[in-house]
């Protein structure tokens, strides 16, 4: 039976209601701050995520009405380069243009936002447009999403891999899961992440001992198996040993030469650091070599001075206010001129544009005296060193030719365009342009020099047609045909980009970066001693 005291308290709660609470005994005690808490730093407020300019349901905009100048400029570039597919078709008999009418695309498709036809009439008549319209809309929304200002959680890179956790290279999904990446909740997140990671992951998935390219699926040849085994003895530790940074103290440096580098040379170093995470006991030295390599911003280019510091001392003493006005006008004119000189968008016609200069890091140093060409070197981490050389590989090959070792060196060429006509070299016999694999100003002197090193050469292509075009070119190129053996047979790259890239000269042309991969090396020559005693 409850005591009278408990019954009275229950009755009091019923009368006062649940909002009345007992005050603690120390409620009236004044708050005090101890001496040690006085020196304690106050907790920093949590950093709020930036408010995006565009929401997830507002990413589609026609190019001419886009809120971003770069996309509007791209729409203008497409209108000046692309031609109406209906007008250009030979079998078109119902829509014939007169000489005064233009064939350029001026009409923007309301479904994808790209300029695709010269008029709405031809847009309605083109039945083929429906086949690729959804891809163009996908590209449109992806480009707006990249500029929306939201926080990209899918691009947050994980740290070192735990020793007992294996990495799978079956496909993007399994790799992201076993590597500890944030969950890719949407297809758009997958496209963004695969585009930025395709370069380091293509290298890692080819060289790693858990690679999906094997003898059993006929992607690796017996010669390629021996070539990869030589590299993997350096890339990995013996079975049973811990694959840690300490285990690689006595290992030689792994050198990866990326020739004809363009966009891959402008990736942030922490993206390339993901390659080191796949091989914890290795020290990588990446060489970006090519005429379109992105170099750091000049160290001696100071930011614009404040207007009140631009005037001379004499002007300041005579008429300070007039000098300030002149200085402000002069500085604003210089900044305005620089902004006008810098294009908002560079069209991607047949050759990708040179990437913008990259950020200069704290340890970045010039390497011009070492290599004799515009170059830089940055020791980013104890496991990763990056060197960029803005020159054709033929100009610097002499500095490396006596140092190559198949156990420590490999070449990667991302979409080199072997089978495309050369824009610079023309044959003296028939006046036709050389293929780039045979051009003396492009890959002509380079590929034979690479084959002579006996190091593996891995090549990617952006489509099945591009891979086939490059292979046909090397099978007929002088000093290359018959001088190589296969390492990796041509086929699809499991770690190619999943984002479509649209050509500005024709929106119907769409490719994926690093779609396919294949590899070769210089043919081995077995020398046998001939017996001095012979009957014949």
């Amino acid at each position: 039976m409850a005591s009278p005291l408990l019954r009275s308290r229950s009755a009091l709660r019923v009368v006062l209601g649940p909002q009345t609470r007992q005050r603690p005994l120390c409620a009236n005690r004044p708050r005090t701050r101890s001496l040690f808490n006085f020196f304690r730093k106050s907790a920093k407020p949590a950093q709020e995520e930036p408010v995006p300019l565009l929401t997830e349901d507002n990413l589609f905009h026609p190019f001419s009405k886009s809120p971003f100048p770069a996309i509007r400029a791209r729409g203008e570039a497409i209108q000046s380069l692309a031609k109406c597919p209906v007008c250009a078709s030979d079998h078109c008999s119902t829509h014939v243009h007169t000489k005064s009418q233009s064939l350029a695309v001026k009409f923007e498709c309301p479904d994808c936002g790209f300029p695709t036809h010269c008029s709405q009439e031809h847009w309605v008549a083109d039945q083929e447009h429906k086949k690729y319209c959804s891809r163009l809309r996908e590209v449109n929304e992806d480009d707006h999403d990249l500029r929306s200002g939201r926080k990209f959680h899918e691009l947050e890179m994980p740290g070192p891999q735990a020793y007992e956790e294996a990495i799978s290279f079956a496909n993007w999904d399994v790799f992201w899961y076993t590597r500890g990446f944030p969950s890719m909740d949407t297809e758009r997140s997958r496209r963004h992440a695969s585009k930025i990671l395709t370069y380091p992951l293509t290298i890692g998935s080819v060289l790693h001992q858990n690679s999906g390219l094997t003898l059993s699926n006929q992607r690796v040849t017996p010669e390629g198996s021996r070539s990869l085994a030589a590299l993997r003895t350096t890339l990995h530790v013996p079975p049973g040993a811990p694959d840690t940074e300490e285990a690689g103290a006595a290992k030689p440096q792994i050198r990866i030469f990326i020739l004809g580098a363009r966009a891959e040379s402008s990736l942030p170093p922490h993206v390339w650091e993901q390659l080191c995470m796949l091989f914890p006991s290795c020290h990588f030295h990446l060489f970006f070599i090519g005429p379109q390599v992105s170099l750091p911003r000049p160290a001696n280019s100071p930011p614009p001075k404040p207007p009140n510091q631009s005037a001379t001392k004499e002007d300041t003493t005579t008429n300070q206010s007039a000098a300030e006005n002149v200085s402000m006008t002069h500085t604003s004119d210089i900044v305005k001129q620089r902004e006008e000189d810098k294009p908002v968008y560079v069209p991607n016609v047949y050759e990708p544009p040179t990437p913008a200069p990259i950020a200069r890091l704290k340890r970045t140093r010039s390497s011009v005296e070492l290599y004799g060409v515009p170059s830089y070197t940055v020791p980013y981490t104890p496991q990763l060193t990056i060197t960029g050389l803005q020159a054709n590989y033929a100009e610097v090959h002499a500095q490396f030719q006596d140092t190559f070792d198949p156990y420590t060196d490999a070449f990667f060429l991302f979409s080199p365009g072997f089978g495309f006509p050369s824009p610079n070299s023309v044959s003296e016999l028939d006046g036709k342009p050389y293929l780039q694999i045979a051009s003396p100003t492009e890959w002509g002197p380079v590929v034979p020099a690479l084959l002579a090193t006996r190091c593996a050469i891995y090549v990617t292509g952006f489509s099945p047609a591009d891979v086939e075009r490059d292979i046909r070119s090397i099978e007929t190129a002088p000093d290359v045909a018959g001088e190589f053996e296969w390492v990796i047979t041509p086929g699809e790259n499991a770690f190619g980009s999943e984002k479509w890239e649209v050509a500005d000269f024709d929106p119907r042309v769409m490719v994926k970066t690093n779609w396919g991969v294949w590899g070769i090396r210089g043919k081995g020559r077995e020398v046998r001693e001939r017996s001095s005693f012979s009957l014949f």
Side-chain angles (χ1 to χ4, degrees):
M1 183 176 181
S3 64
L5 181 60
L6 293 177
R7 287 198 302 269
S8 61
R9 286 184 177 180
S10 301
L12 186 62
R13 289 196 187 97
V14 174
V15 175
L16 297 179
Q19 297 155 347
T20 305
R21 297 181 179 178
Q22 294 182 356
R23 298 180 63 186
L25 297 177
C26 58
N28 296 328
R29 184 180 299 174
R31 294 184 178 180
T32 60
R33 185 174 184 180
S34 65
L35 178 63
F36 298 101
N37 288 335
F38 181 78
F39 296 99
R40 182 178 298 172
K41 294 182 180 180
S42 58
K44 294 182 180 180
Q47 186 177 3
E48 298 182 358
E49 293 189 7
V51 179
L53 301 176
L54 300 176
T55 57
E56 187 71 21
D57 57 350
N58 189 31
L59 294 177
F60 174 74
H61 296 272
F63 275 31
S64 61
K65 299 179 182 179
S66 172
F68 305 110
I71 296 182
R72 295 197 300 269
R74 186 185 185 188
E76 296 172 359
I78 295 175
Q79 292 182 11
S80 63
L81 295 172
K83 301 299 180 181
C84 176
V86 176
C87 300
S89 61
D90 297 332
H91 54 79
C92 178
S93 58
T94 57
H95 303 282
V96 180
H97 275 282
T98 62
K99 294 183 179 180
S100 60
Q101 291 177 312
S102 174
L103 298 177
V105 292
K106 298 295 181 182
F107 178 77
E108 290 181 333
C109 171
D111 297 327
C112 65
F114 270 78
T116 55
H117 296 81
C118 63
S119 63
Q120 184 177 5
E121 180 185 8
H122 280 194
W123 172 73
V124 174
D126 188 5
Q127 299 298 323
E128 296 293 322
H129 179 68
K130 299 177 182 179
K131 297 180 180 180
Y132 53 88
C133 183
S134 59
R135 293 181 183 176
L136 292 176
R137 183 184 179 99
E138 180 182 288
V139 174
N140 185 325
E141 294 181 352
D142 287 350
D143 289 347
H144 281 90
D145 183 53
L146 289 173
R147 297 169 173 83
S148 64
R150 71 174 178 90
K151 187 173 182 180
F152 291 90
H153 297 281
E154 60 267 32
L155 301 183
E156 295 176 357
M157 305 295 166
Q161 188 81 356
Y163 167 65
E164 66 278 1
E165 296 177 356
I167 302 175
S168 174
F169 293 91
N171 51 52
W172 278 116
D173 290 320
V174 180
F175 171 79
W176 283 326
Y177 177 77
T178 57
R179 184 66 186 88
F181 273 79
S183 177
M184 304 295 171
D185 297 328
T186 63
E187 292 296 322
R188 182 169 292 113
S189 298
R190 292 173 51 89
R191 293 192 292 269
H192 291 335
S194 65
K195 180 180 180 180
I196 197 173
L197 288 170
T198 180
Y199 294 106
L201 261 296
T202 297
I203 297 176
S205 63
V206 169
L207 302 182
H208 202 278
Q209 62 184 2
N210 296 338
S211 172
L213 309 176
T214 61
L215 281 169
S216 60
N217 59 17
Q218 299 181 351
R219 288 301 305 275
V220 176
T221 64
E223 295 80 9
S225 179
R226 292 193 292 268
S227 181
L228 287 169
L231 267 172
R232 288 168 181 171
T233 56
T234 310
L235 289 168
H236 298 281
V237 296
D243 198 0
T244 60
E245 185 177 352
E246 293 77 10
K251 282 186 176 184
Q253 190 180 65
I254 297 292
R255 299 189 302 178
I256 305 295
F257 293 85
I258 302 174
L259 309 187
R262 294 184 293 262
E264 55 269 31
S265 66
S266 63
L267 287 178
H270 74 272
V271 176
W272 284 106
E273 190 182 10
Q274 291 299 309
L275 178 62
C276 301
M277 304 295 181
L278 307 179
F279 308 93
S281 61
C282 288
H283 176 206
F284 284 91
H285 194 162
L286 304 181
F287 288 87
F288 298 113
I289 306 176
Q292 291 183 296
V293 167
S294 185
L295 298 177
R297 299 185 184 94
N300 55 356
S301 57
K305 295 181 179 180
N308 58 357
Q309 296 181 7
S310 303
T312 62
K313 185 176 182 180
E314 292 77 11
D315 292 336
T316 307
T317 56
T318 54
N319 194 344
Q320 183 176 1
S321 60
E324 290 178 355
N325 293 335
V326 172
S327 176
M328 290 176 64
T329 305
H330 181 64
T331 305
S332 61
D333 291 342
I334 293 176
V335 174
K336 185 177 180 180
Q337 183 66 27
R338 288 178 179 177
E339 292 178 352
E340 291 177 355
D341 295 341
K342 181 180 179 181
V344 179
Y345 176 77
V346 180
N348 181 4
V349 188
Y350 297 102
E351 184 177 2
T354 301
I358 58 177
R360 176 173 289 272
L361 302 180
K362 183 178 180 180
R363 300 182 181 89
T364 301
R365 63 180 184 268
S366 174
S367 300
V368 177
E369 297 180 356
L370 181 61
Y371 299 108
V373 295
S375 55
Y376 74 96
T377 298
V378 51
Y380 186 66
T381 65
Q383 289 183 275
L384 178 62
T385 302
I386 298 177
T387 296
L389 292 82
Q390 196 176 69
N392 194 307
Y393 178 75
E395 302 176 28
V396 297
H397 173 71
Q399 305 184 42
F400 297 103
Q401 63 179 351
D402 296 329
T403 64
F404 289 114
D405 184 355
Y407 282 79
T408 59
D409 301 327
F411 297 97
F412 277 84
L413 287 68
F414 294 108
S415 301
F418 288 156
F420 281 98
S422 171
N424 305 318
S425 303
V426 180
S427 174
E428 297 178 355
L429 299 177
D430 54 6
K432 296 181 179 180
Y434 284 111
L435 295 182
Q436 292 191 24
I437 187 64
S439 170
T441 58
E442 276 105 5
W443 296 107
V446 174
V447 178
L450 301 185
L451 295 175
T453 65
R454 294 282 291 157
C455 296
I457 307 167
Y458 302 100
V459 187
T460 68
F462 51 72
S463 68
D466 184 50
V467 172
E468 182 180 1
R469 183 190 306 116
D470 288 349
I471 293 174
R472 289 182 181 275
S473 67
I474 67 170
E475 290 177 344
T476 58
D479 299 327
V480 177
E483 298 296 327
F484 66 88
E485 54 192 12
W486 289 100
V487 175
I488 294 179
T489 57
E492 188 173 357
N493 177 19
F495 291 91
S497 172
E498 295 187 354
K499 184 179 184 301
W500 288 104
E501 307 293 340
V502 180
D504 293 339
F505 61 87
D506 190 348
R508 297 174 297 174
V509 178
M510 286 174 276
V511 298
K512 290 184 176 181
T513 306
N514 299 334
W515 175 88
V517 63
W518 50 277
I520 58 176
R521 71 172 183 180
K523 179 174 290 187
R525 309 288 184 182
E526 293 186 4
V527 180
R528 295 182 180 180
E529 184 178 358
R530 187 173 182 179
S531 175
S532 58
F533 298 97
S534 177
L535 297 177
F536 303 100

